[in-house]
Amino acid sequence: MAHEVGSDRPRLLFVTGRLAEFAVRQVLEDLAPRAGFVAEVAVLPISVAALMTPKWVARNLVVPPGIARVILPGLCQGDLTAVIEKAGTATVERGPQDIRDLPRHFGQTDTRLEGYGGFDIEILAEINHAPQLTRDALLAMARRFADEGADRIDLGCDPGGPWAGVGAAVAALRAEGHRVSVDSFDPEEVAAAVAAGADLVLSVNGSNRALAAAWGVEVVAMPDRPGTLEGLDETVAFLERQGVPFRIDPILEPIGFGFAASLGRYLEVRRRYPSAALMMGIGNLTELTDADSAAVNTLLAGFCQELAIGSVLTTAVINWARSSVRELDLARRLVYHAVTRRMLPKHVEPRLVALRDPKVPRFGPEALAELARRIKDPNWRIFAEDGMIHVMNNEKFLSDVDPFLLFDRMEVADPSHAFYLGYELMKAKTAITLNKAYRQDQSLEWGYLTEPEVSHRKRKAAASGEASS
């Protein structure tokens, strides 16, 4: 990318190493015209840009005349003073740590993501065994669900009611701004909940539909017998005659107990009632299947989106499904974007990919060997790829699959440094086990479950600053 003669757009110099040159040029070829700048690339004599330091960059960088900004790799850590002095009138800044994030750094979004975030599926989050909870516990759970994306709090009542405190519980939830539904077949519980502000009743069929008109709120219509659609048409017809608003739930069944057939019933109900509101209770799959819930929730959300099922009821009880509300909030946005834009739900919502990373970059054996040759200090660098953990400093370049054996060969004497290296080595081992990207001093990516991590270097720098002040 050379300077465009006569262009009034600013010239930006992007600093990189040899391995990343091709990727940087590819990104800039698309980005520069859209972001309104002329891109030039300075390829410094190092394979991996992550090993650059500002002082080393200053010694090796030539800034051509007329450059407005110098963009360093995001992983080039340390004081930028030396580069700033070398750059003259050009400003100096760090770019993102991942070259793929350059468009976002310059305020550009991937065209595939334009308008992303919309949804039209309502999430009902059920509080199971609500009568057994204290008021504070119930309100805390409701707040958590709302923070995670729930649009309505569903009070799951226990058999053998009525629950004397249901009205007070609904009133307390309403006072905090929650929309509330009540999940009960007990007429006293339902009447008390509705009187206190619940505006949806789960559920009605032939056994209790006669009471629905008196409640004056929307209800969920369901079949009279599980595993069938018996009585559903009669209940729907009755509710329509009485002017009672309703949504239909044909009931999702667990795997091994009619799961496939139950999906077919949703299709059949949509055929019979093309414009009716539908709901799906998904806990029979997420809670009753030995599998992490994120992918299950996403697939069911996709089914609901394609079939215009406008609401889902979820539980979050068993440990592997405790984050179902958050997953559904992400999933409903992903599937809405896929269906309304007619595009694959791929490389759009990385927060739903938690166990393995979407892509695992690697340096390769030749680049790692070159890195080891260039290191002039005793600080350990750690890499994880091709099933091995690699560590290197100015004296050693070691590799092993076992972090304990590797640590023994490193011969680290300082206890605090040993603790740090042990922590990093186990992160690297975890990354290898799950085929995830490992970057020293950075948290592993777990999608929406990722916890930010303050790097060891930044902690030491902060501590040194406090000690000297």
Side-chain angles (χ1 to χ4, degrees), residues 51-200:
L51 289 183
M52 294 179 183
T53 65
K55 289 183 179 179
W56 185 89
V57 171
R59 290 196 302 270
N60 291 274
L61 178 65
V62 175
V63 181
I67 293 294
R69 295 162 65 183
V70 176
I71 316 297
L72 299 177
L75 291 173
C76 180
Q77 299 296 314
D79 185 358
L80 298 181
T81 301
V83 184
I84 292 172
E85 292 174 353
K86 185 70 174 284
T89 59
T91 61
V92 177
E93 64 191 86
R94 289 187 182 89
Q97 294 185 353
D98 190 327
I99 190 64
R100 293 168 296 182
D101 292 330
L102 262 179
R104 187 178 304 171
H105 183 78
F106 284 91
Q108 302 294 309
T109 58
D110 190 328
T111 55
R112 296 172 306 160
L113 300 180
E114 289 179 358
Y116 184 76
F119 60 88
D120 58 9
I121 293 177
E122 177 191 19
I123 298 174
L124 287 74
E126 181 178 354
I127 297 179
N128 290 75
H129 304 299
Q132 301 178 25
L133 300 178
T134 65
R135 184 64 44 77
D136 287 345
L138 187 144
L139 291 175
M141 188 171 292
R143 292 185 204 112
R144 174 197 143 199
F145 285 154
D147 289 343
E148 292 176 348
D151 303 294
R152 187 190 299 268
I153 302 301
D154 180 65
L155 288 178
C157 299
D158 292 333
W163 173 21
V166 66
V170 172
L173 290 167
R174 295 287 294 137
E176 292 202 353
H178 302 290
R179 298 186 67 188
V180 183
S181 58
V182 59
D183 193 345
S184 173
F185 272 88
D186 187 296
E188 290 186 41
E189 282 180 334
V190 172
V194 168
D199 59 1
L200 178 66

Side-chain angles (χ1 to χ4, degrees), residues 117-442:
F119 60 88
D120 58 9
I121 293 177
E122 177 191 19
I123 298 174
L124 287 74
E126 181 178 354
I127 297 179
N128 290 75
H129 304 299
Q132 301 178 25
L133 300 178
T134 65
R135 184 64 44 77
D136 287 345
L138 187 144
L139 291 175
M141 188 171 292
R143 292 185 204 112
R144 174 197 143 199
F145 285 154
D147 289 343
E148 292 176 348
D151 303 294
R152 187 190 299 268
I153 302 301
D154 180 65
L155 288 178
C157 299
D158 292 333
W163 173 21
V166 66
V170 172
L173 290 167
R174 295 287 294 137
E176 292 202 353
H178 302 290
R179 298 186 67 188
V180 183
S181 58
V182 59
D183 193 345
S184 173
F185 272 88
D186 187 296
E188 290 186 41
E189 282 180 334
V190 172
V194 168
D199 59 1
L200 178 66
V201 175
L202 284 65
S203 300
V204 301
N205 57 19
S207 68
N208 65 342
R209 65 190 179 211
L211 303 170
W215 295 331
V217 298
E218 185 182 3
V219 300
V220 177
M222 58 185 291
D224 290 347
R225 187 164 67 88
T228 73
L229 292 178
E230 290 180 14
L232 181 62
D233 291 339
E234 292 78 4
T235 295
V236 168
F238 176 85
L239 296 173
E240 288 177 335
R241 289 195 302 271
Q242 296 294 318
V244 177
F246 63 90
R247 60 187 75 175
I248 303 171
D249 185 359
I251 309 300
L252 185 70
E253 300 291 352
I255 294 172
F257 293 84
F259 165 61
S262 68
L263 290 178
R265 286 192 290 276
Y266 283 91
L267 294 168
E268 173 60 19
V269 168
R270 176 53 76 211
R271 184 191 67 79
R272 294 185 193 181
Y273 303 101
S275 59
L278 269 62
M279 186 181 89
M280 177 184 284
I282 62 179
N284 277 350
L285 217 62
T286 53
E287 297 277 353
L288 303 179
T289 306
D290 283 341
D292 292 329
S293 57
V296 178
N297 280 320
T298 302
L299 288 173
L300 291 177
F303 182 86
C304 290
Q305 190 69 54
E306 291 196 357
L307 209 58
I309 297 173
S311 57
V312 293
L313 170 68
T314 186
T315 49
V317 178
I318 203 161
N319 197 49
W320 62 64
R322 287 184 62 81
S323 48
S324 282
V325 175
R326 178 68 172 132
E327 293 160 6
L328 282 167
D329 184 45
L330 294 171
R332 64 179 172 177
R333 300 168 195 273
L334 174 61
V335 299
Y336 179 86
H337 196 72
V339 172
T340 59
R341 296 298 184 93
R342 299 292 298 166
M343 61 183 296
L344 290 173
K346 182 179 180 181
H347 300 318
V348 176
E349 186 46 86
R351 289 171 294 180
L352 283 168
V353 182
L355 185 63
R356 292 186 172 88
D357 289 359
K359 185 177 181 180
V360 181
R362 62 186 295 274
F363 294 107
E366 293 182 3
L368 289 174
E370 182 178 343
L371 289 176
R373 287 194 298 270
R374 290 178 177 271
I375 294 175
K376 306 301 181 183
D377 60 74
N379 295 320
W380 288 100
R381 278 73 163 181
I382 305 173
F383 301 87
E385 58 182 61
D386 298 332
M388 301 284 284
I389 304 173
H390 309 276
V391 298
M392 59 186 75
N393 64 6
N394 61 332
E395 294 182 349
K396 296 182 178 182
F397 178 14
L398 309 171
S399 301
D400 207 302
V401 69
D402 189 325
F404 293 97
L405 296 178
L406 196 58
F407 183 77
D408 286 341
R409 295 165 61 195
M410 293 167 73
E411 300 179 318
V412 179
D414 178 66
S416 64
H417 197 51
F419 178 87
Y420 159 72
L421 290 172
Y423 175 77
E424 288 294 330
L425 288 172
M426 286 313 300
K427 277 169 53 183
K429 178 63 175 178
T430 300
I432 288 174
T433 302
L434 296 176
N435 198 27
K436 299 178 75 68
Y438 167 79
R439 299 179 182 89
Q440 190 172 353
D441 287 329
Q442 296 182 46

